Short mmCIF file of all heavy atoms in Angstrom, two decimals:
data_model
loop_
_atom_site.label_atom_id
_atom_site.label_comp_id
_atom_site.label_asym_id
_atom_site.label_seq_id
_atom_site.Cartn_x
_atom_site.Cartn_y
_atom_site.Cartn_z
N LEU C 1 34.51 4.11 -9.63
CA LEU C 1 35.33 4.37 -10.81
C LEU C 1 36.04 5.69 -10.61
O LEU C 1 35.50 6.63 -10.02
CB LEU C 1 34.45 4.41 -12.06
CG LEU C 1 33.78 3.08 -12.41
CD1 LEU C 1 32.84 3.25 -13.59
CD2 LEU C 1 34.83 2.03 -12.73
N THR C 2 37.26 5.74 -11.11
CA THR C 2 38.09 6.91 -10.87
C THR C 2 38.39 7.66 -12.16
O THR C 2 38.53 7.06 -13.22
CB THR C 2 39.42 6.51 -10.21
OG1 THR C 2 40.12 5.61 -11.06
CG2 THR C 2 39.16 5.84 -8.86
N ALA C 3 38.48 8.96 -12.05
CA ALA C 3 38.79 9.80 -13.20
C ALA C 3 39.87 10.79 -12.81
O ALA C 3 40.05 11.13 -11.63
CB ALA C 3 37.54 10.54 -13.67
N SER C 4 40.60 11.24 -13.82
CA SER C 4 41.55 12.33 -13.66
C SER C 4 41.22 13.40 -14.67
O SER C 4 40.69 13.10 -15.76
CB SER C 4 42.99 11.84 -13.87
OG SER C 4 43.38 10.95 -12.84
N VAL C 5 41.51 14.63 -14.34
CA VAL C 5 41.25 15.76 -15.23
C VAL C 5 42.56 16.49 -15.47
O VAL C 5 43.30 16.79 -14.53
CB VAL C 5 40.20 16.71 -14.62
CG1 VAL C 5 40.06 17.96 -15.49
CG2 VAL C 5 38.86 16.01 -14.47
N ILE C 6 42.85 16.75 -16.75
CA ILE C 6 44.07 17.48 -17.12
C ILE C 6 43.67 18.73 -17.89
O ILE C 6 42.95 18.66 -18.89
CB ILE C 6 45.00 16.61 -18.00
CG1 ILE C 6 45.36 15.30 -17.29
CG2 ILE C 6 46.25 17.38 -18.37
CD1 ILE C 6 46.10 14.31 -18.17
N ALA C 7 44.14 19.87 -17.40
CA ALA C 7 43.95 21.14 -18.11
C ALA C 7 45.26 21.50 -18.80
O ALA C 7 46.33 21.44 -18.19
CB ALA C 7 43.53 22.24 -17.15
N VAL C 8 45.19 21.84 -20.08
CA VAL C 8 46.38 22.22 -20.83
C VAL C 8 46.32 23.73 -21.06
O VAL C 8 45.40 24.22 -21.71
CB VAL C 8 46.46 21.47 -22.17
CG1 VAL C 8 47.71 21.89 -22.94
CG2 VAL C 8 46.44 19.97 -21.96
N GLY C 9 47.26 24.47 -20.51
CA GLY C 9 47.20 25.92 -20.72
C GLY C 9 48.23 26.69 -19.92
O GLY C 9 48.20 26.71 -18.69
N ASP C 10 49.16 27.34 -20.62
CA ASP C 10 50.12 28.22 -19.95
C ASP C 10 49.40 29.36 -19.26
O ASP C 10 49.85 29.87 -18.22
CB ASP C 10 51.11 28.78 -20.97
CG ASP C 10 52.05 27.71 -21.53
OD1 ASP C 10 52.16 26.66 -20.88
OD2 ASP C 10 52.64 27.93 -22.60
N GLU C 11 48.27 29.80 -19.84
CA GLU C 11 47.56 30.95 -19.28
C GLU C 11 47.04 30.66 -17.87
O GLU C 11 46.90 31.56 -17.05
CB GLU C 11 46.40 31.36 -20.21
CG GLU C 11 45.27 30.35 -20.36
CD GLU C 11 45.57 29.25 -21.36
OE1 GLU C 11 46.70 29.18 -21.86
OE2 GLU C 11 44.63 28.47 -21.64
N ILE C 12 46.76 29.37 -17.58
CA ILE C 12 46.33 29.01 -16.23
C ILE C 12 47.54 28.99 -15.29
O ILE C 12 47.51 29.53 -14.18
CB ILE C 12 45.64 27.63 -16.23
CG1 ILE C 12 44.40 27.67 -17.13
CG2 ILE C 12 45.23 27.22 -14.83
CD1 ILE C 12 43.74 26.30 -17.31
N LEU C 13 48.64 28.39 -15.76
CA LEU C 13 49.84 28.32 -14.94
C LEU C 13 50.45 29.69 -14.66
O LEU C 13 51.03 29.93 -13.60
CB LEU C 13 50.88 27.43 -15.63
CG LEU C 13 50.56 25.93 -15.68
CD1 LEU C 13 51.56 25.21 -16.57
CD2 LEU C 13 50.58 25.33 -14.28
N PHE C 14 50.30 30.62 -15.61
CA PHE C 14 50.85 31.96 -15.44
C PHE C 14 49.92 32.86 -14.62
O PHE C 14 50.26 34.00 -14.32
CB PHE C 14 51.09 32.62 -16.80
CG PHE C 14 52.16 31.94 -17.63
CD1 PHE C 14 52.23 32.14 -18.99
CD2 PHE C 14 53.08 31.10 -17.03
CE1 PHE C 14 53.21 31.51 -19.76
CE2 PHE C 14 54.06 30.46 -17.79
CZ PHE C 14 54.12 30.67 -19.15
N GLY C 15 48.74 32.35 -14.25
CA GLY C 15 47.80 33.14 -13.46
C GLY C 15 47.05 34.18 -14.26
O GLY C 15 46.44 35.09 -13.69
N ILE C 16 47.06 34.07 -15.58
CA ILE C 16 46.37 35.04 -16.42
C ILE C 16 44.86 34.81 -16.38
O ILE C 16 44.07 35.76 -16.35
CB ILE C 16 46.89 34.96 -17.88
CG1 ILE C 16 48.38 35.27 -17.92
CG2 ILE C 16 46.12 35.89 -18.80
CD1 ILE C 16 49.03 35.04 -19.27
N VAL C 17 44.45 33.56 -16.39
CA VAL C 17 43.03 33.22 -16.29
C VAL C 17 42.85 32.20 -15.17
O VAL C 17 43.77 31.46 -14.81
CB VAL C 17 42.48 32.63 -17.63
CG1 VAL C 17 42.63 33.63 -18.75
CG2 VAL C 17 43.17 31.32 -17.97
N GLU C 18 41.64 32.16 -14.63
CA GLU C 18 41.29 31.20 -13.59
C GLU C 18 40.57 30.02 -14.22
O GLU C 18 39.62 30.20 -14.99
CB GLU C 18 40.39 31.87 -12.55
CG GLU C 18 40.00 30.95 -11.41
CD GLU C 18 39.10 31.62 -10.40
OE1 GLU C 18 38.91 32.86 -10.51
OE2 GLU C 18 38.55 30.92 -9.52
N ASP C 19 41.04 28.84 -13.91
CA ASP C 19 40.42 27.63 -14.47
C ASP C 19 39.07 27.37 -13.80
O ASP C 19 39.00 27.14 -12.60
CB ASP C 19 41.34 26.42 -14.26
CG ASP C 19 40.73 25.13 -14.79
OD1 ASP C 19 39.92 25.20 -15.73
OD2 ASP C 19 41.06 24.06 -14.25
N GLN C 20 38.01 27.44 -14.60
CA GLN C 20 36.67 27.16 -14.10
C GLN C 20 36.16 25.80 -14.56
O GLN C 20 35.24 25.24 -13.97
CB GLN C 20 35.70 28.26 -14.55
CG GLN C 20 36.03 29.63 -13.99
CD GLN C 20 35.04 30.69 -14.43
OE1 GLN C 20 34.36 30.53 -15.43
NE2 GLN C 20 34.96 31.78 -13.67
N LEU C 21 36.77 25.27 -15.63
CA LEU C 21 36.29 24.00 -16.18
C LEU C 21 36.61 22.83 -15.26
O LEU C 21 35.80 21.91 -15.12
CB LEU C 21 36.89 23.77 -17.56
CG LEU C 21 36.09 24.35 -18.75
CD1 LEU C 21 36.05 25.87 -18.65
CD2 LEU C 21 36.72 23.92 -20.08
N GLY C 22 37.79 22.85 -14.65
CA GLY C 22 38.18 21.73 -13.79
C GLY C 22 37.22 21.52 -12.63
O GLY C 22 36.69 20.41 -12.45
N PRO C 23 36.95 22.55 -11.81
CA PRO C 23 35.99 22.37 -10.72
C PRO C 23 34.60 21.98 -11.20
O PRO C 23 33.93 21.16 -10.57
CB PRO C 23 35.98 23.76 -10.05
CG PRO C 23 37.32 24.34 -10.36
CD PRO C 23 37.63 23.85 -11.74
N SER C 24 34.17 22.55 -12.33
CA SER C 24 32.86 22.20 -12.86
C SER C 24 32.81 20.74 -13.28
O SER C 24 31.83 20.02 -13.01
CB SER C 24 32.52 23.10 -14.06
OG SER C 24 31.26 22.76 -14.62
N LEU C 25 33.88 20.27 -13.93
CA LEU C 25 33.94 18.88 -14.36
C LEU C 25 34.00 17.95 -13.15
O LEU C 25 33.43 16.85 -13.17
CB LEU C 25 35.16 18.69 -15.26
CG LEU C 25 35.27 17.37 -16.03
CD1 LEU C 25 34.01 17.10 -16.85
CD2 LEU C 25 36.49 17.39 -16.94
N SER C 26 34.67 18.38 -12.10
CA SER C 26 34.73 17.58 -10.88
C SER C 26 33.33 17.36 -10.31
O SER C 26 32.97 16.23 -9.93
CB SER C 26 35.60 18.30 -9.84
OG SER C 26 35.53 17.65 -8.59
#
């Protein structure tokens, strides 16, 4: 079974914060 993960956040795209939820969810 396949899944996709979408993070919504300008702060991630602007490099202000590092996304930790995506790797954890993976």
